[in-house]
Structures are given as C-alpha cells and as structure tokens.
C-alpha cells in the first residue's frame, strides 16, 4: 500500500508540473489585464509541434542533449507568437467591454488550432522523447528519469519566474502595471512593454510544457491543447488566478486530485467508474471552486484602485 501511494504521488508531481507551467500563463495575463487568454492552450500545442519541427530540421530528434536547444528556441518563437496575439487580438480592444476581448481570445484559439492542424496534419504525431530514459526503484515505486526531468525543469522555471517578477526591475514594472496601469504610466513605465513581456513569458512556458508533455506521452495532436488547457485553467482558478504561487499550488493539487482519483475511484466504485473518467475530477474541481471559493485557495489581492481601473476591460 505504501509503495502504491508513493507511486501515485510521483505520478501526481509529474502531471502537476505540466499543469502548473501552463497555469502560469493564464494567471500572469489575468493578473495584469483581467483577461482569460483562451488562446494560451493552443500556444501550448503549437509549442509541441514547433519543437518537433525544430528537432527534425536540426537532426536532433530523440536526443535528450538536444532537448535544451529545442526548448530554448521554441520558448522564444512561441513567446513572440504570444506577443503577436496580444498586439493583433487584444490591444485594439482595451477599454472596451469585457465581452469583446474574450470573444477575440476564443477566435484566436480557433485560428491557432486550425493553423497547427493545416501544418502538422490531423493525425496524431509520434513524438520523439527529449527526456532521458531509465528508471529507478524508490521503496517499491518506479520513478523514471523522464518524470524526474519534468519535475526539475518545471521547478527551475517556476522559481526563475518568481525571482524574475519579484527581484528584477522588469518584474517591478510588471507588478506596477498589474496594480494600476494608469498610475504606472505616470511614473514613466510603459504598460505596453510590460504587457508584451507577460505575453512573451507565459506562452513560452506553455510551449516548454507542450514539449515535456508530448515527450513524456510520445504523441502530439492538434486538439490536445483544449483539455489540457482547461485543466491548467482549473489549476489557476483553484490556486487563485492572478497569483503566481497560486498557479503553482493549483497545478500540483489538481495533479494529485486527478491522479489519486483515477487510481482509487475504480476500486471504491467496484469498477463502475473506470480510468477513462479521469477528466471528471478536474472539471468537478472547477465547478466546486467556482461555487464555494471563486477567489481560489490563495485568493487574489487587488487594490480598490486597480479594481475600478480594470473594470473597463
């Protein structure tokens, strides 16, 4: 029993790492613009396909040592795509009703998904692994080097983001714009620069998550971003959307809920509910958190001035 629980905890950390990386993109954009970037999930998919294309072009498909190079280039390319999405689809709609940017986000999600389909094809793509192979036995639980790599990469990126936001001049500018963009502009901060920066970092992290996800499961499809994106969105809400620590906490908690629920529900229900119902746990959490604690576990600290200013978005 102890080995089984440990095994599921390891699986939960792996899945939660990917959810947390994607959730950071949602929470960063919402923290500044009070906008749900529905195109973010499709940029996650685009990252996986771009990484696959780069690996083929550079001749390093399936080589773990080439994964770092592919990840860095994909981060930059998808980050630039995220900035382009903000300039084209969101920036012209600032100051309008909340509905217009949301519809624009949904439209961009459809556009990106269909672009990936036209370029990558409709059929699932066999994905080469950029993660090291091999396993170790940990008190009866099997831990793969792939799982360790995913967790380590995710933690490094999340810690790096937290340090960037709280310890650098650019991070201070982002937090100032998130607090009140109008006041920030009066002291010489360019809100457009700060907003473009979060649209660069968030999709970049999502692209890395796309590579890690596809490398781990060995497949990529042009529709995979929808369900994974909804789960990451749920993680952001669970932890407290707008909060970077909340997104990380929500990602790992959702990974644990989904993993342990999938493992134990067939046993508790006598097989009536099988593993094919794993998605029900994430979306049940979404409904419950919206009903009973819409601010999330860590909540969101928003000043009254910010609340009034952001109400026009």
């Amino acid at each position: 029993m102890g080995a089984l629980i440990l095994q599921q905890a390891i699986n939960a950390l792996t899945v939660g790492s990917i959810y947390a990386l994607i959730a950071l993109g949602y929470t960063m954009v919402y923290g500044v613009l009070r906008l749900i970037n529905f195109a973010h999930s499709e940029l996650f998919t685009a990252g996986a396909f771009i990484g696959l294309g780069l690996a083929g072009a550079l001749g390093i498909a399936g080589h773990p040592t080439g994964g770092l190079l592919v990840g860095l280039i994909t981060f930059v390319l998808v980050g630039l795509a995220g900035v382009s999405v903000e300039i084209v689809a969101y920036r012209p709609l600032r100051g309008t009703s909340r509905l217009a940017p949301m519809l624009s986000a949904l439209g961009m999600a459809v556009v990106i998904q269909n672009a990936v389909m036209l370029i990558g094809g409709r059929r699932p793509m066999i994905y080469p692994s950029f993660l090291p192979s091999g396993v170790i036995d940990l008190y009866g639980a099997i831990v793969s080097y792939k799982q360790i790599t995913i967790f380590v990469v995710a933690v490094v990126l999340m810690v790096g983001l937290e340090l960037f936001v709280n310890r650098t001049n650019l991070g201070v500018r982002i937090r100032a714009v998130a607090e009140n963009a109008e006041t920030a502009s009066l002291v010489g901060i360019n809100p457009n620069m700060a907003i473009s920066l979060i649209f660069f970092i968030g999709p970049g992290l999502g692209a890395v998550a796309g590579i890690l996800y596809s490398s781990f499961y060995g497949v990529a499809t042009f529709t995979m971003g929808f369900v994974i994106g909804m789960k990451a969105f749920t993680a952001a809400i669970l932890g407290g959307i707008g909060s970077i620590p909340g997104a990380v906490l929500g990602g790992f908690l959702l990974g644990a809920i989904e993993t342990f629920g999938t493992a134990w529900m067939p046993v508790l229900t006598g097989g009536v509910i099988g593993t094919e119902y794993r998605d029900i746990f994430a979306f049940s959490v979404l409904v419950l958190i919206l009903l009973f604690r819409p601010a999330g576990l860590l909540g969101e600290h928003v000043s009254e001035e910010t609340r009034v200013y952001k109400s026009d978005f």
Side-chain angles (χ1 to χ4, degrees):
M1 181 62 69
L4 178 60
I5 294 175
L6 180 59
Q7 183 69 67
Q8 297 307 322
I10 294 168
N11 296 338
L13 287 175
T14 305
V15 176
S17 297
I18 294 174
Y19 290 163
L21 279 179
I22 307 172
L24 286 170
Y26 284 112
T27 207
M28 289 177 68
V29 171
Y30 185 84
V32 175
L33 293 178
R34 300 299 182 269
L35 167 70
I36 304 300
N37 181 19
F38 289 108
H40 184 62
S41 60
E42 304 310 324
L43 290 171
F44 156 83
T45 305
F49 276 82
I50 290 174
L52 178 61
L54 285 172
L58 298 175
I60 54 177
H63 294 278
T65 54
L68 179 60
L69 178 61
V70 170
L72 288 174
I73 298 175
T74 303
F75 185 104
V76 173
L77 292 178
V78 177
L80 292 175
V83 173
S84 300
V85 168
E86 189 275 325
I87 294 174
V88 172
Y90 303 148
R91 188 173 297 181
L93 299 176
R94 289 186 203 165
T96 62
S97 66
R98 290 178 180 269
L99 182 62
M102 184 181 70
L103 293 177
S104 182
L106 290 171
M108 284 305 304
V110 174
V111 169
I112 296 171
Q113 184 184 94
N114 280 271
V116 173
M117 179 192 69
L118 290 173
I119 297 172
R122 293 176 175 270
R123 295 182 178 180
M125 303 286 288
I126 302 299
Y127 208 91
S129 179
F130 295 106
L131 305 174
S133 58
V135 299
I136 58 176
D137 189 303
L138 183 64
Y139 301 107
I142 303 300
V143 187
S144 70
Y145 292 134
K146 292 182 179 182
Q147 292 175 307
I148 295 174
T149 304
I150 289 174
F151 179 73
V152 171
V153 170
V155 169
V156 168
L157 290 174
M158 288 183 286
V159 171
L161 177 63
E162 181 69 15
L163 293 175
F164 172 79
V165 171
N166 291 292
R167 302 290 181 86
T168 68
N169 182 263
L170 288 175
V172 171
R173 291 171 181 265
I174 291 175
R175 288 188 286 121
V177 172
E179 183 70 19
N180 192 310
E182 186 175 17
T183 302
S185 65
L186 293 176
V187 297
I189 297 175
N190 184 352
N192 287 333
M193 183 276 292
I195 291 170
S196 293
L197 189 56
I198 65 168
F199 271 93
F200 178 81
I201 296 174
L205 293 174
V208 173
I211 294 175
L212 294 175
Y213 177 87
S214 297
S215 292
F216 184 71
Y217 290 104
V219 66
T221 66
F222 76 95
T223 58
M224 68 182 188
F226 176 74
V227 174
I228 302 300
M230 285 298 295
K231 290 181 180 180
F233 177 57
T234 300
I237 293 178
L238 174 62
I241 192 164
S243 165
I244 291 177
V248 175
L249 174 64
F252 285 117
L253 282 178
L254 186 64
I257 292 170
E258 180 179 291
T259 302
F260 281 97
T262 303
W264 291 104
M265 192 56 69
V267 178
L268 296 177
T269 62
V272 175
I273 299 179
T275 57
E276 65 272 16
Y277 292 100
R278 63 179 301 159
D279 293 341
I280 196 174
F281 297 104
F283 300 122
S284 296
V285 169
L286 177 60
V287 173
L288 292 174
I289 201 72
L290 288 175
L291 286 175
F292 298 106
R293 193 176 175 81
L297 297 178
L298 298 187
E300 181 188 13
H301 302 290
V302 181
S303 67
E304 186 61 29
E305 291 82 1
T306 303
R307 195 182 307 278
V308 172
Y309 177 78
K310 297 295 184 181
S311 64
D312 292 332
F313 279 82

